[in-house]
Amino acid sequence: RAMALSRDQLARLRFDSGVLEVVVGGQSAIDVQESLGIRSVEEAARFLDCYGFNVENPIEKAELFGHYQEAVSFIRKSFLYPHNPDGPKIEIPRKLTELSDPMQLLIVASQPETSGTAPGASLPHWACAILKVMHTIGHIDKDVRTSHFSDIQTQIMDRVYKFIHNEDGRLFLGKDARDSELVELVAFHSKPKKSRDSLILKMLHKPENVAEDIFDRVGIRFVTKTRFDALRVVKFMRDRYIIMPANIKPSRSRNSLVDLAKFRETLNQALEQASTGDATFDAVVERLRAVCDGGISSEGRGTNPFTSKEYASIQFTCRQLIKITNPLYEDIKALKSYKDSPLPMEVANVINRIELKNMQKEVRFFYPVEVQLYDDASHKSAVEGEAAHSQYKKGQLLAAMKRVMRGLL
């Protein structure tokens, strides 16, 4: 008969199923239900050190505490009644809202559930909910591009704004009234900067749950008179180098407005007829407009679970290379060449030790911009009808709430 396994042997065979699902199985850490297994402050400190926070550093510990306070506030404002009229009528236990050290959340989240505890009062589940939101906030705050947002928005929008103009109260995409590719617009909108709560909410319902995966912080929307004109806007943006097709993110392209296969087939037939003189330019345009107005089957639509089946648009995400000048570079360069009057020896020595070659004169990175196109009828449906954005946001909020507060609802 085999001997019972030793404690050491058992430890070597104890694989954490939650870790395997995240690292190997592709599941999000937000959705894992297994305990963190943290029993002491020392273990919590090691966990946080690996995560990226050194709790011995007072600045980093204060930052962690700020994430904790913001997470508690976000849950109250976004998920719980009465701030959310549709939210559950439960409260975060005071034991978890009055912590002086957020490391205690890791320990509480690792504790076994007490039998007989009402779902809405479970301390381990509440600790997990707060930690999920803290994790999301941490990723938002560590996106180094956030501090450059105003410059990013200006560089992206400047490419578009120079082609938007009014003529006698009508809105157009084109250089001026003589532009051969002029497209009349019903409306043009640039997306305002997302609020912090909106960013947190968006990340909480995304499987990836990292700030780099938010693609619509900068966005533009064109509303055209017809669906054919929406395709003309795409053509205009490519022809005038507003967008670069090589920098499109393919997985982000959605089309529920125009059947591209039928459009290409009709275009090829019409151009062949036109080349032999059997069709005029106006006749070709009319045929293309008609096939675009036919719409698209449900099979060609996107897979976003929060989007209504009535929603019809073209949407794509393009990356643009952003260039941010480092103001310190020129300042340091000026200091190194400063010779009008002597500087204090200590200051001069520090400046002389600075090597300009080690400083970035310019920071460059790609940043996404989301483009949406509607015809007038589809836009009205999106704003007023079954596909109203408020319904989309409501579904998004409900999904995030269920994900964060699993075990509490």
Side-chain angles (χ1 to χ4, degrees):
R1 180 179 178 183
M3 294 180 61
L5 297 181
S6 68
R7 183 178 298 178
D8 179 63
Q9 289 173 324
L10 287 171
R12 288 159 57 189
L13 293 174
R14 193 171 289 122
F15 289 84
D16 189 315
S17 60
V19 171
L20 290 178
E21 285 300 325
V22 172
V23 178
V24 182
Q27 189 176 13
S28 169
I30 292 287
D31 300 316
V32 171
Q33 296 301 300
E34 280 74 9
S35 167
L36 293 172
I38 295 172
R39 308 301 177 196
S40 66
V41 173
E42 291 74 24
E43 282 186 78
R46 287 199 299 272
F47 177 94
L48 289 170
D49 184 60
C50 181
Y51 189 97
F53 285 95
N54 175 11
V55 292
E56 298 299 321
N57 183 321
I59 295 176
E60 293 187 30
K61 190 168 185 178
E63 183 180 1
L64 188 66
F65 189 74
H67 292 346
Y68 154 69
Q69 290 180 309
E70 185 176 3
V72 169
S73 176
F74 175 85
I75 291 172
R76 282 174 171 159
K77 288 189 300 181
S78 300
F79 297 150
L80 304 184
Y81 184 88
H83 296 286
N84 178 355
D86 300 318
K89 296 180 180 180
I90 56 179
E91 295 182 4
I92 307 173
R94 288 184 62 183
K95 187 173 181 179
L96 298 182
T97 61
E98 298 178 353
L99 294 176
S100 59
D101 186 351
M103 279 201 297
Q104 291 295 326
L105 284 170
L106 296 168
I107 299 173
V108 175
S110 301
Q111 293 173 350
E113 190 61 71
T114 304
S115 61
T117 303
S122 166
L123 287 178
H125 281 127
W126 272 117
C128 284
I130 296 170
L131 287 168
K132 289 174 183 179
V133 180
M134 287 176 65
H135 167 69
T136 301
I137 291 169
H139 274 275
I140 290 175
D141 278 357
K142 296 303 176 286
D143 185 350
V144 297
R145 304 166 300 179
T146 301
S147 60
H148 300 301
F149 185 81
S150 294
D151 289 323
I152 292 168
Q153 197 170 40
T154 298
Q155 289 186 37
I156 290 174
M157 299 310 301
D158 279 353
R159 284 190 179 185
V160 185
Y161 283 148
K162 65 182 179 181
F163 291 110
I164 302 292
H165 70 277
N166 282 279
E167 295 280 345
D168 299 324
R170 295 160 66 192
L171 189 64
F172 293 93
L173 176 67
K175 194 68 177 176
D176 52 41
R178 298 182 299 277
D179 195 321
S180 61
E181 297 291 334
L182 198 69
V183 182
E184 185 169 1
L185 303 175
V186 175
F188 170 78
H189 305 286
S190 59
K191 180 173 289 188
K193 184 178 180 179
K194 277 184 178 294
S195 70
R196 189 171 176 84
D197 282 356
S198 293
L199 287 175
I200 295 172
L201 180 62
K202 184 138 193 168
M203 285 181 62
L204 282 172
H205 96 275
K206 291 172 70 68
E208 293 294 332
N209 196 249
V210 287
E212 287 80 357
D213 287 330
I214 296 181
F215 296 100
D216 62 347
R217 293 192 190 192
V218 179
I220 53 178
R221 174 181 295 178
F222 296 92
V223 182
T224 58
K225 286 192 167 183
T226 68
R227 297 189 177 204
F228 176 55
D229 282 346
L231 292 185
R232 291 182 60 217
V233 169
V234 174
K235 182 179 185 302
F236 185 99
M237 295 180 78
R238 165 59 184 91
D239 291 349
R240 303 303 170 89
Y241 294 100
I242 298 173
I243 61 170
M244 173 53 64
N247 292 335
I248 295 291
K249 184 174 175 62
S251 62
R252 289 281 301 169
S253 293
R254 302 283 186 271
N255 168 35
S256 52
L257 197 68
V258 174
D259 189 324
L260 287 181
K262 288 183 180 179
F263 178 82
R264 283 192 296 265
E265 181 183 356
T266 303
L267 177 62
N268 291 335
Q269 292 173 353
L271 289 177
E272 186 176 342
Q273 291 176 344
S275 65
T276 59
D278 293 333
T280 63
F281 175 82
D282 289 342
V284 171
V285 169
E286 195 53 44
R287 286 185 62 183
L288 295 178
R289 184 176 288 117
V291 76
C292 288
D293 286 342
I296 187 171
S297 68
S298 59
E299 295 156 0
R301 293 174 175 269
T303 57
N304 191 324
F306 306 108
T307 302
S308 165
K309 292 180 180 179
E310 304 302 317
Y311 183 84
S313 71
I314 293 172
Q315 178 179 305
F316 59 89
T317 298
C318 185
R319 293 185 178 94
Q320 181 172 322
L321 187 61
I322 303 298
K323 302 174 182 180
I324 307 291
T325 301
N326 181 2
L328 287 177
Y329 182 90
E330 294 299 331
D331 291 341
I332 297 297
K333 185 177 179 181
L335 278 174
K336 288 180 75 68
S337 61
Y338 189 64
K339 304 194 187 317
D340 289 346
S341 62
L343 292 169
M345 182 63 69
E346 295 84 355
V347 177
N349 288 338
V350 171
I351 292 172
N352 288 333
R353 287 200 301 269
I354 297 175
E355 291 286 349
L356 286 176
K357 65 181 181 181
N358 294 329
M359 293 187 66
Q360 281 186 298
K361 186 176 182 179
E362 187 177 63
V363 181
R364 297 190 294 170
F365 51 86
F366 282 98
Y367 199 87
V369 52
E370 182 183 81
V371 181
Q372 295 178 331
L373 300 110
Y374 300 83
D375 70 302
D376 192 23
S378 298
H379 185 249
K380 287 177 179 175
S381 174
V383 172
E384 302 167 3
E386 293 181 32
H389 189 63
S390 60
Q391 292 301 311
Y392 173 93
K393 296 297 289 185
K394 193 172 182 177
Q396 189 184 69
L397 177 63
L398 181 62
M401 180 172 66
K402 288 180 177 179
R403 193 180 190 200
V404 170
M405 299 178 63
R406 186 176 298 174
L408 290 165
L409 301 178

